[in-house]
Every structure is written in C-alpha cells, then in structure tokens.
Amino acid sequence: MENKVFGLTGILSFILPLIGFLTLFQINPQALIELDLLALSYYNIIGADGQLWTKWVIYIATGLTSLLTLTGLLIQNKKNTQIIIGLSFLMASSLIWVSFGLVDMVPDDMINDSKLVLMRTIIFMLTSIIGFLLIGTDLMKIRARVFVKWMTLTVAIMIGTLGSLSTFVFNDETYIRTNSSLALYFIWLGIIGFLLLTEKKNR
C-alpha cells in the first residue's frame, strides 16, 4: 500500500506539470508565444491569464506531490546516509519549485523579480544535480535497482551539462536547455513512481 501511494504521487509529479502547462497554453496562448523568452519557472505573473492555475497546479501542487514521493523514498532508505542526504537535496529542489508559486512576479518590477526567479532556478538545478549524484553513486543502489542507479546518474549529468551550456552559452536556444533541465527532474520522479507501483510484480 505504501509503494502504491508514493508511486502515485511520483507519477502525479510528472503528470501535473505536463497537464498544467498544456492547459495554461490553452487558457493563455500568449504564454506559449513567450516560451522562447521564459523558462518554465517564470509563469507566476500577477494579472496573467491562468495565473491561479499556474500558481496552484503547476508549482504548488506539483512541488508538494514530489515532496511526498521523496519523503516516501526517504522512509524506505532511512538506514542509508548517502541516499538520505541525496534525497534531502532533491527535497530542497521541490521546495524551491513550490516557492515559484508562493512568490508572484509583478509586471511593474519584472527585472528584479526575474533575477530572483533566475537565482532560484539555478539553485534548483544545483540541488538536483547534487542530489542525483549522491543517489546514483551510492553503492547500495536505491530501491535495489541497477537501472535506477544509472538513470539517476544520467539525469545528473544531463542537467549539469544543459545547465552549464545555459549559463555560459547565450543564444536563442538557452531557454530550451533550461526547460529540459527542469523537465528531467519531474521525468525522474515519474519513472520512480512507476517503478514503485510495479515493484511487487517485478520481484
């Protein structure tokens, strides 16, 4: 039962932002047009169409469901210090994602607000990278699955590479790399959730 609960929250952590952004682009087509200028962490703008949806579904609900999944993994791996530290970094990333919904961007002060969002986005990626590296390099293998170990290391490397390119290479594709880094975090959670749901079948 415990695996099913945390598995479902893991899958929701992937589905919520996916459905959330698709719905937002239906509510506010202008947001899709601006996608070439904004990372996925910049959409909680006061007065924008679909702001409440963005705030509560894309950021707060998604962040809280990911926290639940990570808490479940923390409980199940409570005797493994390295994984606990790694999961704690990932939980920090989820809290940062929640903060995107708690702190609104004000149109009249977009420059300063954008800097704060950028700073939190960078911290999100850094804590994600550290968390994934700690989990992936642990010899005990989280959930005793070799696949998870290598998937986690691959995600860490991909986020680190894409994040570095976004930081040091400025061109029209910077937002794509940043958004890909953010998306990888939730894709990982979705896969972990699926594995938790199917764990008994695979034993």
Side-chain angles (χ1 to χ4, degrees), residues 8-28:
L8 284 172
T9 58
I11 292 173
L12 275 175
S13 298
F14 168 70
I15 292 177
L16 279 175
L18 182 63
I19 294 177
F21 278 110
L22 289 175
T23 303
L24 174 64
F25 297 147
Q26 289 292 322
I27 297 172
N28 182 7

Side-chain angles (χ1 to χ4, degrees), residues 35-38 169-177:
L35 188 62
D36 63 342
L37 300 174
L38 299 174
V169 180
F170 298 97
N171 56 36
D172 292 340
E173 297 180 355
T174 297
Y175 78 100
I176 297 177
R177 292 191 291 266

Side-chain angles (χ1 to χ4, degrees), residues 19 21 23 29 36 68 87 96 120 124 126 135 145 192 198:
I19 294 177
F21 278 110
T23 303
D36 63 342
L68 281 174
L87 289 170
I96 292 169
R120 280 181 286 152
F124 175 96
L126 287 175
I135 293 170
R145 292 176 183 269
I192 291 294
T198 59

Side-chain angles (χ1 to χ4, degrees), residues 61-75:
T62 297
L64 291 178
T65 52
S66 64
L67 272 175
L68 281 174
T69 306
L70 295 167
T71 300
L73 292 174
L74 199 65
I75 293 170

Side-chain angles (χ1 to χ4, degrees), residues 2 8 55 91 100 112-113 128 141 159 161 178 200:
E2 183 181 89
L8 284 172
K55 174 196 288 284
M91 292 175 81
F100 292 135
N112 289 327
D113 285 352
S128 297
K141 298 190 290 288
I159 293 177
T161 302
T178 301
K200 287 185 178 180

